[in-house]
Amino acid sequence: MQRFLLSCRETLHRPKIVIGNEAADLDSTICALLYGYFTGIVPVMNTNMHNLGLRAEVQLLFDWLGITLSNVLYLDDISSVSEVILVDHHVPGKRFTAKGFDKFVVKIIDH
Protein backbone atom coordinates (compact mmCIF):
# COMPACT_ATOMS: atom_id res chain seq x y z
CA MET A 1 0.00 0.00 0.00
CA GLN A 2 2.84 2.40 0.87
CA ARG A 3 4.43 1.87 -2.56
CA PHE A 4 1.05 2.46 -4.25
CA LEU A 5 0.50 5.70 -2.32
CA LEU A 6 3.94 6.99 -3.26
CA SER A 7 3.28 6.23 -6.94
CA CYS A 8 0.04 8.26 -6.80
CA ARG A 9 2.04 11.44 -6.21
CA GLU A 10 3.52 11.00 -9.70
CA THR A 11 0.10 11.30 -11.38
CA LEU A 12 -1.16 14.61 -10.02
CA HIS A 13 -1.81 16.37 -13.33
CA ARG A 14 -5.62 16.06 -13.70
CA PRO A 15 -5.84 12.65 -12.05
CA LYS A 16 -8.87 10.43 -11.66
CA ILE A 17 -9.50 10.46 -7.92
CA VAL A 18 -11.58 8.58 -5.38
CA ILE A 19 -12.48 10.52 -2.25
CA GLY A 20 -14.35 9.72 0.95
CA ASN A 21 -16.47 12.00 3.09
CA GLU A 22 -15.32 15.10 4.99
CA ALA A 23 -15.36 13.29 8.32
CA ALA A 24 -12.47 11.13 7.06
CA ASP A 25 -13.58 8.41 9.46
CA LEU A 26 -12.26 4.88 9.25
CA ASP A 27 -14.80 3.45 6.79
CA SER A 28 -14.46 6.44 4.47
CA THR A 29 -10.66 6.25 4.57
CA ILE A 30 -10.63 2.49 3.93
CA CYS A 31 -13.12 2.84 1.06
CA ALA A 32 -11.02 5.46 -0.71
CA LEU A 33 -7.71 3.64 -0.16
CA LEU A 34 -8.94 0.21 -1.25
CA TYR A 35 -10.98 1.42 -4.20
CA GLY A 36 -7.95 3.36 -5.36
CA TYR A 37 -5.58 0.46 -4.78
CA PHE A 38 -7.67 -2.07 -6.69
CA THR A 39 -8.54 0.25 -9.60
CA GLY A 40 -5.36 2.32 -9.92
CA ILE A 41 -7.31 5.52 -9.25
CA VAL A 42 -5.68 8.08 -6.93
CA PRO A 43 -7.18 7.95 -3.40
CA VAL A 44 -7.54 11.37 -1.76
CA MET A 45 -8.46 12.10 1.83
CA ASN A 46 -11.20 14.72 2.16
CA THR A 47 -9.40 16.49 5.01
CA ASN A 48 -5.88 17.66 5.82
CA MET A 49 -2.97 15.78 7.37
CA HIS A 50 -3.41 17.32 10.83
CA ASN A 51 -7.09 16.39 11.10
CA LEU A 52 -6.58 12.89 9.76
CA GLY A 53 -3.84 12.38 12.35
CA LEU A 54 -6.36 13.17 15.08
CA ARG A 55 -8.51 10.20 14.04
CA ALA A 56 -7.17 7.57 16.43
CA GLU A 57 -8.72 4.64 14.53
CA VAL A 58 -7.24 5.84 11.22
CA GLN A 59 -3.83 6.42 12.81
CA LEU A 60 -3.92 2.93 14.33
CA LEU A 61 -4.71 1.40 10.92
CA PHE A 62 -1.96 3.40 9.23
CA ASP A 63 0.55 2.38 11.89
CA TRP A 64 -0.46 -1.26 11.44
CA LEU A 65 -0.08 -1.02 7.65
CA GLY A 66 3.11 1.05 7.79
CA ILE A 67 1.50 4.05 6.07
CA THR A 68 2.79 7.48 7.01
CA LEU A 69 0.43 10.45 6.96
CA SER A 70 2.82 12.38 4.70
CA ASN A 71 2.49 9.77 1.94
CA VAL A 72 -1.29 10.09 1.74
CA LEU A 73 -2.80 12.65 -0.64
CA TYR A 74 -5.22 15.22 0.76
CA LEU A 75 -7.78 17.47 -0.90
CA ASP A 76 -5.40 20.44 -0.57
CA ASP A 77 -2.74 18.53 -2.57
CA ILE A 78 -4.97 18.34 -5.65
CA SER A 79 -5.45 21.35 -7.94
CA SER A 80 -7.28 19.73 -10.86
CA VAL A 81 -9.05 16.46 -11.64
CA SER A 82 -10.34 14.63 -14.70
CA GLU A 83 -12.88 12.37 -12.93
CA VAL A 84 -14.08 11.90 -9.35
CA ILE A 85 -15.60 8.92 -7.59
CA LEU A 86 -17.29 9.64 -4.27
CA VAL A 87 -17.27 6.83 -1.71
CA ASP A 88 -19.13 6.68 1.60
CA HIS A 89 -21.11 9.84 0.77
CA HIS A 90 -23.25 11.22 -2.01
CA VAL A 91 -23.09 15.00 -1.58
CA PRO A 92 -19.78 16.79 -2.24
CA GLY A 93 -18.54 18.90 0.66
CA LYS A 94 -18.01 22.68 0.66
CA ARG A 95 -14.22 22.62 0.22
CA PHE A 96 -14.55 20.07 -2.58
CA THR A 97 -17.24 22.11 -4.34
CA ALA A 98 -15.27 25.35 -3.87
CA LYS A 99 -12.48 23.79 -5.95
CA GLY A 100 -15.01 23.05 -8.72
CA PHE A 101 -14.47 19.30 -8.45
CA ASP A 102 -18.19 18.57 -8.07
CA LYS A 103 -18.53 19.00 -11.86
CA PHE A 104 -16.28 15.96 -12.41
CA VAL A 105 -18.18 13.39 -10.31
CA VAL A 106 -18.78 10.31 -12.48
CA LYS A 107 -19.71 7.72 -9.85
CA ILE A 108 -21.07 7.58 -6.32
CA ILE A 109 -20.69 4.55 -4.06
CA ASP A 110 -22.60 4.94 -0.82
CA HIS A 111 -24.67 2.81 1.52
Side-chain angles (χ1 to χ4, degrees):
M1 180 64 75
Q2 186 81 331
R3 189 175 307 137
F4 167 70
L5 292 172
L6 288 171
S7 72
C8 287
R9 291 197 170 272
E10 299 170 7
T11 61
L12 290 184
H13 178 69
R14 293 188 46 82
K16 292 180 182 181
I17 68 168
V18 56
I19 190 165
N21 65 41
E22 288 180 304
D25 50 2
L26 187 60
D27 63 324
S28 187
T29 299
I30 289 172
C31 286
L33 288 174
L34 289 180
Y35 191 94
Y37 182 79
F38 286 113
T39 62
I41 295 173
V42 175
V44 175
M45 300 300 107
N46 201 349
T47 187
N48 59 44
M49 187 185 319
H50 173 74
N51 288 341
L52 191 63
L54 296 176
R55 304 292 265 166
E57 69 280 11
V58 173
Q59 188 62 59
L60 181 65
L61 174 70
F62 280 14
D63 289 346
W64 186 68
L65 293 174
I67 297 173
T68 57
L69 289 173
S70 61
N71 288 336
V72 176
L73 289 169
Y74 302 91
L75 185 57
D76 294 338
D77 297 328
I78 307 296
S79 59
S80 64
V81 296
S82 62
E83 292 182 4
V84 176
I85 297 168
L86 301 180
V87 292
D88 195 35
H89 68 304
H90 64 280
V91 177
K94 291 178 184 176
R95 290 178 52 237
F96 183 85
T97 302
K99 287 182 157 251
F101 293 172
D102 54 321
K103 298 174 188 90
F104 297 94
V105 174
V106 296
K107 186 183 285 188
I108 297 171
I109 301 171
D110 196 9
H111 48 87

